[in-house]
Amino acid sequence: MSDDKNITKGKPSTAAERALAEAAERRAAQEAREAELAEARKREKGGPKKAEPTRFGDWERDGRAYDF
């Protein structure tokens, strides 16, 4: 069998180039959005903004200690 039918010969049309460029932009935007969502999933909801200070096994926030 010949692969001549599956090989693109010559330069693609301007419409094809434009479509490929738009697809690349959409793909990059989607990858950036997925990275943002992955980062958001890593963060704890409602947790302290900085490192979690512990003292004697209690959680401390704004000078108040909570014992769970």
Side-chain angles (χ1 to χ4, degrees):
M1 290 189 114
S2 176
D3 287 333
D4 290 337
K5 294 179 184 177
N6 297 330
I7 298 174
T8 303
K9 296 183 180 183
K11 186 177 176 186
S13 66
T14 56
E17 289 177 353
R18 199 169 46 245
L20 289 171
E22 290 174 6
E25 288 176 17
R26 284 193 305 271
R27 192 175 309 115
Q30 181 64 27
E31 289 174 357
R33 177 71 176 140
E34 288 175 5
E36 289 174 12
L37 290 174
E39 183 62 32
R41 285 186 209 109
K42 288 181 185 177
R43 287 183 252 138
E44 181 180 358
K45 294 180 182 176
K49 303 280 187 254
K50 49 188 173 180
E52 298 174 347
T54 58
R55 183 173 52 180
F56 307 113
D58 296 334
W59 296 94
E60 181 184 4
R61 185 179 221 171
D62 295 330
R64 298 181 181 146
Y66 299 94
D67 187 11
F68 291 103

PDB file of all heavy atoms in Angstrom, residues 31-65:
ATOM      1  N   GLU A  31      -4.639  24.600  29.162  1.00  0.00           N
ATOM      2  CA  GLU A  31      -3.581  24.088  30.032  1.00  0.00           C
ATOM      3  C   GLU A  31      -3.328  25.038  31.193  1.00  0.00           C
ATOM      4  O   GLU A  31      -3.115  24.593  32.324  1.00  0.00           O
ATOM      5  CB  GLU A  31      -2.301  23.850  29.234  1.00  0.00           C
ATOM      6  CG  GLU A  31      -2.394  22.661  28.297  1.00  0.00           C
ATOM      7  CD  GLU A  31      -1.188  22.511  27.395  1.00  0.00           C
ATOM      8  OE1 GLU A  31      -0.280  23.374  27.445  1.00  0.00           O
ATOM      9  OE2 GLU A  31      -1.143  21.542  26.634  1.00  0.00           O
ATOM     10  N   ALA A  32      -3.370  26.347  30.937  1.00  0.00           N
ATOM     11  CA  ALA A  32      -3.188  27.330  32.007  1.00  0.00           C
ATOM     12  C   ALA A  32      -4.336  27.239  33.007  1.00  0.00           C
ATOM     13  O   ALA A  32      -4.116  27.286  34.222  1.00  0.00           O
ATOM     14  CB  ALA A  32      -3.101  28.739  31.424  1.00  0.00           C
ATOM     15  N   ARG A  33      -5.549  27.090  32.516  1.00  0.00           N
ATOM     16  CA  ARG A  33      -6.716  26.978  33.396  1.00  0.00           C
ATOM     17  C   ARG A  33      -6.637  25.704  34.237  1.00  0.00           C
ATOM     18  O   ARG A  33      -6.951  25.723  35.426  1.00  0.00           O
ATOM     19  CB  ARG A  33      -7.998  26.968  32.545  1.00  0.00           C
ATOM     20  CG  ARG A  33      -9.247  26.784  33.326  1.00  0.00           C
ATOM     21  CD  ARG A  33      -9.572  28.011  34.144  1.00  0.00           C
ATOM     22  NE  ARG A  33     -10.845  27.796  34.800  1.00  0.00           N
ATOM     23  CZ  ARG A  33     -11.106  28.163  36.033  1.00  0.00           C
ATOM     24  NH1 ARG A  33     -10.203  28.812  36.729  1.00  0.00           N
ATOM     25  NH2 ARG A  33     -12.271  27.930  36.574  1.00  0.00           N
ATOM     26  N   GLU A  34      -6.209  24.599  33.636  1.00  0.00           N
ATOM     27  CA  GLU A  34      -6.068  23.350  34.380  1.00  0.00           C
ATOM     28  C   GLU A  34      -4.998  23.473  35.454  1.00  0.00           C
ATOM     29  O   GLU A  34      -5.146  22.919  36.548  1.00  0.00           O
ATOM     30  CB  GLU A  34      -5.751  22.205  33.427  1.00  0.00           C
ATOM     31  CG  GLU A  34      -6.933  21.787  32.579  1.00  0.00           C
ATOM     32  CD  GLU A  34      -6.581  20.724  31.558  1.00  0.00           C
ATOM     33  OE1 GLU A  34      -5.440  20.228  31.565  1.00  0.00           O
ATOM     34  OE2 GLU A  34      -7.463  20.391  30.754  1.00  0.00           O
ATOM     35  N   ALA A  35      -3.914  24.206  35.168  1.00  0.00           N
ATOM     36  CA  ALA A  35      -2.864  24.422  36.169  1.00  0.00           C
ATOM     37  C   ALA A  35      -3.411  25.249  37.336  1.00  0.00           C
ATOM     38  O   ALA A  35      -3.104  24.964  38.503  1.00  0.00           O
ATOM     39  CB  ALA A  35      -1.660  25.126  35.541  1.00  0.00           C
ATOM     40  N   GLU A  36      -4.230  26.276  37.044  1.00  0.00           N
ATOM     41  CA  GLU A  36      -4.839  27.082  38.103  1.00  0.00           C
ATOM     42  C   GLU A  36      -5.756  26.227  38.970  1.00  0.00           C
ATOM     43  O   GLU A  36      -5.746  26.340  40.201  1.00  0.00           O
ATOM     44  CB  GLU A  36      -5.650  28.233  37.509  1.00  0.00           C
ATOM     45  CG  GLU A  36      -4.829  29.327  36.890  1.00  0.00           C
ATOM     46  CD  GLU A  36      -5.694  30.372  36.199  1.00  0.00           C
ATOM     47  OE1 GLU A  36      -6.926  30.356  36.396  1.00  0.00           O
ATOM     48  OE2 GLU A  36      -5.136  31.188  35.466  1.00  0.00           O
ATOM     49  N   LEU A  37      -6.558  25.372  38.350  1.00  0.00           N
ATOM     50  CA  LEU A  37      -7.471  24.516  39.100  1.00  0.00           C
ATOM     51  C   LEU A  37      -6.708  23.510  39.962  1.00  0.00           C
ATOM     52  O   LEU A  37      -7.109  23.226  41.090  1.00  0.00           O
ATOM     53  CB  LEU A  37      -8.417  23.789  38.153  1.00  0.00           C
ATOM     54  CG  LEU A  37      -9.457  24.671  37.455  1.00  0.00           C
ATOM     55  CD1 LEU A  37     -10.233  23.847  36.435  1.00  0.00           C
ATOM     56  CD2 LEU A  37     -10.402  25.282  38.466  1.00  0.00           C
ATOM     57  N   ALA A  38      -5.627  22.974  39.434  1.00  0.00           N
ATOM     58  CA  ALA A  38      -4.820  22.031  40.206  1.00  0.00           C
ATOM     59  C   ALA A  38      -4.215  22.722  41.421  1.00  0.00           C
ATOM     60  O   ALA A  38      -4.170  22.158  42.516  1.00  0.00           O
ATOM     61  CB  ALA A  38      -3.722  21.431  39.333  1.00  0.00           C
ATOM     62  N   GLU A  39      -3.764  23.962  41.252  1.00  0.00           N
ATOM     63  CA  GLU A  39      -3.202  24.722  42.372  1.00  0.00           C
ATOM     64  C   GLU A  39      -4.277  25.033  43.403  1.00  0.00           C
ATOM     65  O   GLU A  39      -4.040  24.964  44.603  1.00  0.00           O
ATOM     66  CB  GLU A  39      -2.562  26.022  41.865  1.00  0.00           C
ATOM     67  CG  GLU A  39      -1.890  26.838  42.932  1.00  0.00           C
ATOM     68  CD  GLU A  39      -0.730  26.130  43.600  1.00  0.00           C
ATOM     69  OE1 GLU A  39      -0.056  25.327  42.926  1.00  0.00           O
ATOM     70  OE2 GLU A  39      -0.497  26.380  44.788  1.00  0.00           O
ATOM     71  N   ALA A  40      -5.477  25.350  42.946  1.00  0.00           N
ATOM     72  CA  ALA A  40      -6.576  25.646  43.869  1.00  0.00           C
ATOM     73  C   ALA A  40      -6.970  24.404  44.663  1.00  0.00           C
ATOM     74  O   ALA A  40      -7.344  24.509  45.831  1.00  0.00           O
ATOM     75  CB  ALA A  40      -7.777  26.178  43.097  1.00  0.00           C
ATOM     76  N   ARG A  41      -6.886  23.240  44.054  1.00  0.00           N
ATOM     77  CA  ARG A  41      -7.222  22.004  44.759  1.00  0.00           C
ATOM     78  C   ARG A  41      -6.208  21.673  45.844  1.00  0.00           C
ATOM     79  O   ARG A  41      -6.535  21.019  46.821  1.00  0.00           O
ATOM     80  CB  ARG A  41      -7.305  20.840  43.783  1.00  0.00           C
ATOM     81  CG  ARG A  41      -8.554  20.860  42.961  1.00  0.00           C
ATOM     82  CD  ARG A  41      -8.653  19.601  42.097  1.00  0.00           C
ATOM     83  NE  ARG A  41      -9.391  19.914  40.901  1.00  0.00           N
ATOM     84  CZ  ARG A  41      -8.886  20.008  39.693  1.00  0.00           C
ATOM     85  NH1 ARG A  41      -7.615  19.769  39.489  1.00  0.00           N
ATOM     86  NH2 ARG A  41      -9.632  20.318  38.664  1.00  0.00           N
ATOM     87  N   LYS A  42      -4.968  22.128  45.680  1.00  0.00           N
ATOM     88  CA  LYS A  42      -3.922  21.849  46.659  1.00  0.00           C
ATOM     89  C   LYS A  42      -4.142  22.627  47.952  1.00  0.00           C
ATOM     90  O   LYS A  42      -3.774  22.163  49.017  1.00  0.00           O
ATOM     91  CB  LYS A  42      -2.552  22.218  46.098  1.00  0.00           C
ATOM     92  CG  LYS A  42      -2.047  21.289  45.035  1.00  0.00           C
ATOM     93  CD  LYS A  42      -0.686  21.734  44.574  1.00  0.00           C
ATOM     94  CE  LYS A  42      -0.172  20.907  43.423  1.00  0.00           C
ATOM     95  NZ  LYS A  42       1.119  21.407  42.953  1.00  0.00           N
ATOM     96  N   ARG A  43      -4.685  23.832  47.844  1.00  0.00           N
ATOM     97  CA  ARG A  43      -4.862  24.681  49.019  1.00  0.00           C
ATOM     98  C   ARG A  43      -5.980  24.174  49.912  1.00  0.00           C
ATOM     99  O   ARG A  43      -6.967  23.632  49.461  1.00  0.00           O
ATOM    100  CB  ARG A  43      -5.170  26.119  48.592  1.00  0.00           C
ATOM    101  CG  ARG A  43      -3.935  26.812  48.040  1.00  0.00           C
ATOM    102  CD  ARG A  43      -4.246  28.238  47.703  1.00  0.00           C
ATOM    103  NE  ARG A  43      -4.250  28.282  46.240  1.00  0.00           N
ATOM    104  CZ  ARG A  43      -5.114  28.924  45.506  1.00  0.00           C
ATOM    105  NH1 ARG A  43      -6.051  29.624  46.048  1.00  0.00           N
ATOM    106  NH2 ARG A  43      -5.052  28.875  44.202  1.00  0.00           N
ATOM    107  N   GLU A  44      -5.807  24.393  51.194  1.00  0.00           N
ATOM    108  CA  GLU A  44      -6.805  23.985  52.168  1.00  0.00           C
ATOM    109  C   GLU A  44      -7.891  25.042  52.244  1.00  0.00           C
ATOM    110  O   GLU A  44      -7.609  26.242  52.271  1.00  0.00           O
ATOM    111  CB  GLU A  44      -6.138  23.827  53.530  1.00  0.00           C
ATOM    112  CG  GLU A  44      -7.064  23.374  54.616  1.00  0.00           C
ATOM    113  CD  GLU A  44      -6.364  23.238  55.954  1.00  0.00           C
ATOM    114  OE1 GLU A  44      -5.156  23.470  56.016  1.00  0.00           O
ATOM    115  OE2 GLU A  44      -7.036  22.911  56.918  1.00  0.00           O
ATOM    116  N   LYS A  45      -9.128  24.622  52.316  1.00  0.00           N
ATOM    117  CA  LYS A  45     -10.237  25.559  52.411  1.00  0.00           C
ATOM    118  C   LYS A  45     -10.457  25.941  53.869  1.00  0.00           C
ATOM    119  O   LYS A  45     -10.613  25.073  54.720  1.00  0.00           O
ATOM    120  CB  LYS A  45     -11.512  24.933  51.848  1.00  0.00           C
ATOM    121  CG  LYS A  45     -11.424  24.667  50.374  1.00  0.00           C
ATOM    122  CD  LYS A  45     -12.692  24.051  49.863  1.00  0.00           C
ATOM    123  CE  LYS A  45     -12.546  23.741  48.378  1.00  0.00           C
ATOM    124  NZ  LYS A  45     -13.709  23.065  47.854  1.00  0.00           N
ATOM    125  N   GLY A  46     -10.471  27.242  54.151  1.00  0.00           N
ATOM    126  CA  GLY A  46     -10.736  27.725  55.498  1.00  0.00           C
ATOM    127  C   GLY A  46      -9.567  27.569  56.448  1.00  0.00           C
ATOM    128  O   GLY A  46      -9.710  27.801  57.640  1.00  0.00           O
ATOM    129  N   GLY A  47      -8.419  27.191  55.954  1.00  0.00           N
ATOM    130  CA  GLY A  47      -7.251  27.004  56.812  1.00  0.00           C
ATOM    131  C   GLY A  47      -6.483  28.297  57.007  1.00  0.00           C
ATOM    132  O   GLY A  47      -6.813  29.341  56.442  1.00  0.00           O
ATOM    133  N   PRO A  48      -5.462  28.263  57.843  1.00  0.00           N
ATOM    134  CA  PRO A  48      -4.647  29.454  58.070  1.00  0.00           C
ATOM    135  C   PRO A  48      -3.923  29.891  56.798  1.00  0.00           C
ATOM    136  O   PRO A  48      -3.598  29.068  55.945  1.00  0.00           O
ATOM    137  CB  PRO A  48      -3.658  29.028  59.145  1.00  0.00           C
ATOM    138  CG  PRO A  48      -3.848  27.590  59.379  1.00  0.00           C
ATOM    139  CD  PRO A  48      -5.021  27.124  58.612  1.00  0.00           C
ATOM    140  N   LYS A  49      -3.677  31.176  56.701  1.00  0.00           N
ATOM    141  CA  LYS A  49      -3.016  31.720  55.511  1.00  0.00           C
ATOM    142  C   LYS A  49      -1.523  31.403  55.502  1.00  0.00           C
ATOM    143  O   LYS A  49      -0.922  31.250  54.466  1.00  0.00           O
ATOM    144  CB  LYS A  49      -3.201  33.241  55.458  1.00  0.00           C
ATOM    145  CG  LYS A  49      -4.646  33.669  55.478  1.00  0.00           C
ATOM    146  CD  LYS A  49      -5.273  33.532  54.123  1.00  0.00           C
ATOM    147  CE  LYS A  49      -6.645  34.124  54.106  1.00  0.00           C
ATOM    148  NZ  LYS A  49      -7.710  33.187  54.077  1.00  0.00           N
ATOM    149  N   LYS A  50      -0.911  31.343  56.665  1.00  0.00           N
ATOM    150  CA  LYS A  50       0.519  31.064  56.741  1.00  0.00           C
ATOM    151  C   LYS A  50       0.731  29.688  57.356  1.00  0.00           C
ATOM    152  O   LYS A  50      -0.217  28.913  57.458  1.00  0.00           O
ATOM    153  CB  LYS A  50       1.221  32.152  57.545  1.00  0.00           C
ATOM    154  CG  LYS A  50       0.574  32.475  58.864  1.00  0.00           C
ATOM    155  CD  LYS A  50       1.203  33.675  59.514  1.00  0.00           C
ATOM    156  CE  LYS A  50       0.395  34.059  60.746  1.00  0.00           C
ATOM    157  NZ  LYS A  50       0.935  35.195  61.406  1.00  0.00           N
ATOM    158  N   ALA A  51       1.945  29.389  57.772  1.00  0.00           N
ATOM    159  CA  ALA A  51       2.243  28.081  58.342  1.00  0.00           C
ATOM    160  C   ALA A  51       1.357  27.825  59.558  1.00  0.00           C
ATOM    161  O   ALA A  51       1.073  28.733  60.338  1.00  0.00           O
ATOM    162  CB  ALA A  51       3.709  28.012  58.734  1.00  0.00           C
ATOM    163  N   GLU A  52       0.941  26.595  59.734  1.00  0.00           N
ATOM    164  CA  GLU A  52       0.030  26.256  60.826  1.00  0.00           C
ATOM    165  C   GLU A  52       0.805  26.117  62.128  1.00  0.00           C
ATOM    166  O   GLU A  52       1.526  25.145  62.343  1.00  0.00           O
ATOM    167  CB  GLU A  52      -0.703  24.956  60.494  1.00  0.00           C
ATOM    168  CG  GLU A  52      -1.549  25.072  59.260  1.00  0.00           C
ATOM    169  CD  GLU A  52      -2.162  23.753  58.850  1.00  0.00           C
ATOM    170  OE1 GLU A  52      -1.741  22.706  59.368  1.00  0.00           O
ATOM    171  OE2 GLU A  52      -3.051  23.788  58.001  1.00  0.00           O
ATOM    172  N   PRO A  53       0.668  27.094  63.011  1.00  0.00           N
ATOM    173  CA  PRO A  53       1.412  27.016  64.271  1.00  0.00           C
ATOM    174  C   PRO A  53       0.730  26.051  65.239  1.00  0.00           C
ATOM    175  O   PRO A  53      -0.473  26.058  65.395  1.00  0.00           O
ATOM    176  CB  PRO A  53       1.359  28.447  64.794  1.00  0.00           C
ATOM    177  CG  PRO A  53       0.124  29.019  64.219  1.00  0.00           C
ATOM    178  CD  PRO A  53      -0.075  28.342  62.897  1.00  0.00           C
ATOM    179  N   THR A  54       1.524  25.220  65.864  1.00  0.00           N
ATOM    180  CA  THR A  54       0.976  24.316  66.877  1.00  0.00           C
ATOM    181  C   THR A  54       1.746  24.528  68.177  1.00  0.00           C
ATOM    182  O   THR A  54       2.937  24.833  68.169  1.00  0.00           O
ATOM    183  CB  THR A  54       1.090  22.848  66.449  1.00  0.00           C
ATOM    184  OG1 THR A  54       2.461  22.549  66.217  1.00  0.00           O
ATOM    185  CG2 THR A  54       0.291  22.580  65.201  1.00  0.00           C
ATOM    186  N   ARG A  55       1.036  24.374  69.267  1.00  0.00           N
ATOM    187  CA  ARG A  55       1.669  24.507  70.573  1.00  0.00           C
ATOM    188  C   ARG A  55       1.003  23.500  71.498  1.00  0.00           C
ATOM    189  O   ARG A  55      -0.197  23.562  71.719  1.00  0.00           O
ATOM    190  CB  ARG A  55       1.514  25.934  71.095  1.00  0.00           C
ATOM    191  CG  ARG A  55       2.208  26.170  72.398  1.00  0.00           C
ATOM    192  CD  ARG A  55       2.167  27.600  72.791  1.00  0.00           C
ATOM    193  NE  ARG A  55       0.798  28.105  72.749  1.00  0.00           N
ATOM    194  CZ  ARG A  55       0.466  29.331  73.055  1.00  0.00           C
ATOM    195  NH1 ARG A  55       1.385  30.204  73.390  1.00  0.00           N
ATOM    196  NH2 ARG A  55      -0.791  29.718  73.011  1.00  0.00           N
ATOM    197  N   PHE A  56       1.762  22.569  72.015  1.00  0.00           N
ATOM    198  CA  PHE A  56       1.260  21.552  72.942  1.00  0.00           C
ATOM    199  C   PHE A  56       0.128  20.739  72.318  1.00  0.00           C
ATOM    200  O   PHE A  56      -0.816  20.368  72.998  1.00  0.00           O
ATOM    201  CB  PHE A  56       0.810  22.187  74.258  1.00  0.00           C
ATOM    202  CG  PHE A  56       1.856  23.054  74.889  1.00  0.00           C
ATOM    203  CD1 PHE A  56       1.679  24.412  74.994  1.00  0.00           C
ATOM    204  CD2 PHE A  56       3.039  22.492  75.371  1.00  0.00           C
ATOM    205  CE1 PHE A  56       2.648  25.202  75.577  1.00  0.00           C
ATOM    206  CE2 PHE A  56       4.010  23.291  75.943  1.00  0.00           C
ATOM    207  CZ  PHE A  56       3.828  24.654  76.045  1.00  0.00           C
ATOM    208  N   GLY A  57       0.171  20.511  71.021  1.00  0.00           N
ATOM    209  CA  GLY A  57      -0.844  19.711  70.359  1.00  0.00           C
ATOM    210  C   GLY A  57      -2.120  20.473  70.056  1.00  0.00           C
ATOM    211  O   GLY A  57      -3.077  19.907  69.566  1.00  0.00           O
ATOM    212  N   ASP A  58      -2.163  21.764  70.374  1.00  0.00           N
ATOM    213  CA  ASP A  58      -3.339  22.591  70.093  1.00  0.00           C
ATOM    214  C   ASP A  58      -3.075  23.433  68.857  1.00  0.00           C
ATOM    215  O   ASP A  58      -1.951  23.820  68.582  1.00  0.00           O
ATOM    216  CB  ASP A  58      -3.651  23.527  71.257  1.00  0.00           C
ATOM    217  CG  ASP A  58      -4.037  22.783  72.516  1.00  0.00           C
ATOM    218  OD1 ASP A  58      -4.525  21.649  72.384  1.00  0.00           O
ATOM    219  OD2 ASP A  58      -3.844  23.331  73.606  1.00  0.00           O
ATOM    220  N   TRP A  59      -4.123  23.759  68.136  1.00  0.00           N
ATOM    221  CA  TRP A  59      -4.016  24.670  67.003  1.00  0.00           C
ATOM    222  C   TRP A  59      -4.222  26.083  67.517  1.00  0.00           C
ATOM    223  O   TRP A  59      -5.089  26.335  68.340  1.00  0.00           O
ATOM    224  CB  TRP A  59      -5.070  24.346  65.952  1.00  0.00           C
ATOM    225  CG  TRP A  59      -4.873  22.991  65.366  1.00  0.00           C
ATOM    226  CD1 TRP A  59      -5.450  21.839  65.767  1.00  0.00           C
ATOM    227  CD2 TRP A  59      -4.005  22.657  64.292  1.00  0.00           C
ATOM    228  NE1 TRP A  59      -5.019  20.789  65.014  1.00  0.00           N
ATOM    229  CE2 TRP A  59      -4.122  21.263  64.095  1.00  0.00           C
ATOM    230  CE3 TRP A  59      -3.141  23.380  63.489  1.00  0.00           C
ATOM    231  CZ2 TRP A  59      -3.410  20.597  63.117  1.00  0.00           C
ATOM    232  CZ3 TRP A  59      -2.445  22.705  62.512  1.00  0.00           C
ATOM    233  CH2 TRP A  59      -2.573  21.345  62.330  1.00  0.00           C
ATOM    234  N   GLU A  60      -3.449  26.997  67.017  1.00  0.00           N
ATOM    235  CA  GLU A  60      -3.526  28.378  67.472  1.00  0.00           C
ATOM    236  C   GLU A  60      -3.848  29.271  66.286  1.00  0.00           C
ATOM    237  O   GLU A  60      -3.261  29.146  65.217  1.00  0.00           O
ATOM    238  CB  GLU A  60      -2.188  28.798  68.090  1.00  0.00           C
ATOM    239  CG  GLU A  60      -2.180  30.205  68.604  1.00  0.00           C
ATOM    240  CD  GLU A  60      -0.807  30.592  69.122  1.00  0.00           C
ATOM    241  OE1 GLU A  60       0.125  29.789  69.011  1.00  0.00           O
ATOM    242  OE2 GLU A  60      -0.683  31.718  69.614  1.00  0.00           O
ATOM    243  N   ARG A  61      -4.796  30.199  66.522  1.00  0.00           N
ATOM    244  CA  ARG A  61      -5.148  31.162  65.493  1.00  0.00           C
ATOM    245  C   ARG A  61      -5.518  32.476  66.161  1.00  0.00           C
ATOM    246  O   ARG A  61      -6.389  32.511  67.009  1.00  0.00           O
ATOM    247  CB  ARG A  61      -6.318  30.639  64.667  1.00  0.00           C
ATOM    248  CG  ARG A  61      -6.653  31.534  63.500  1.00  0.00           C
ATOM    249  CD  ARG A  61      -7.780  30.965  62.710  1.00  0.00           C
ATOM    250  NE  ARG A  61      -7.490  31.148  61.300  1.00  0.00           N
ATOM    251  CZ  ARG A  61      -8.173  30.632  60.339  1.00  0.00           C
ATOM    252  NH1 ARG A  61      -9.186  29.856  60.605  1.00  0.00           N
ATOM    253  NH2 ARG A  61      -7.864  30.863  59.088  1.00  0.00           N
ATOM    254  N   ASP A  62      -4.836  33.553  65.773  1.00  0.00           N
ATOM    255  CA  ASP A  62      -5.054  34.876  66.353  1.00  0.00           C
ATOM    256  C   ASP A  62      -4.929  34.848  67.871  1.00  0.00           C
ATOM    257  O   ASP A  62      -5.682  35.504  68.587  1.00  0.00           O
ATOM    258  CB  ASP A  62      -6.434  35.426  65.956  1.00  0.00           C
ATOM    259  CG  ASP A  62      -6.540  35.672  64.464  1.00  0.00           C
ATOM    260  OD1 ASP A  62      -5.515  35.973  63.836  1.00  0.00           O
ATOM    261  OD2 ASP A  62      -7.660  35.578  63.922  1.00  0.00           O
ATOM    262  N   GLY A  63      -3.978  34.079  68.383  1.00  0.00           N
ATOM    263  CA  GLY A  63      -3.745  34.032  69.813  1.00  0.00           C
ATOM    264  C   GLY A  63      -4.694  33.118  70.568  1.00  0.00           C
ATOM    265  O   GLY A  63      -4.576  32.978  71.776  1.00  0.00           O
ATOM    266  N   ARG A  64      -5.618  32.494  69.893  1.00  0.00           N
ATOM    267  CA  ARG A  64      -6.570  31.578  70.533  1.00  0.00           C
ATOM    268  C   ARG A  64      -6.170  30.149  70.190  1.00  0.00           C
ATOM    269  O   ARG A  64      -5.933  29.826  69.047  1.00  0.00           O
ATOM    270  CB  ARG A  64      -7.983  31.840  70.075  1.00  0.00           C
ATOM    271  CG  ARG A  64      -8.479  33.217  70.439  1.00  0.00           C
ATOM    272  CD  ARG A  64      -9.887  33.375  69.965  1.00  0.00           C
ATOM    273  NE  ARG A  64     -10.347  34.732  70.304  1.00  0.00           N
ATOM    274  CZ  ARG A  64     -11.169  35.427  69.572  1.00  0.00           C
ATOM    275  NH1 ARG A  64     -11.658  34.924  68.460  1.00  0.00           N
ATOM    276  NH2 ARG A  64     -11.530  36.636  69.937  1.00  0.00           N
ATOM    277  N   ALA A  65      -6.135  29.302  71.200  1.00  0.00           N
ATOM    278  CA  ALA A  65      -5.766  27.909  70.987  1.00  0.00           C
ATOM    279  C   ALA A  65      -7.031  27.060  70.909  1.00  0.00           C
ATOM    280  O   ALA A  65      -7.972  27.242  71.693  1.00  0.00           O
ATOM    281  CB  ALA A  65      -4.859  27.421  72.103  1.00  0.00           C
TER     282      ALA A  65
END
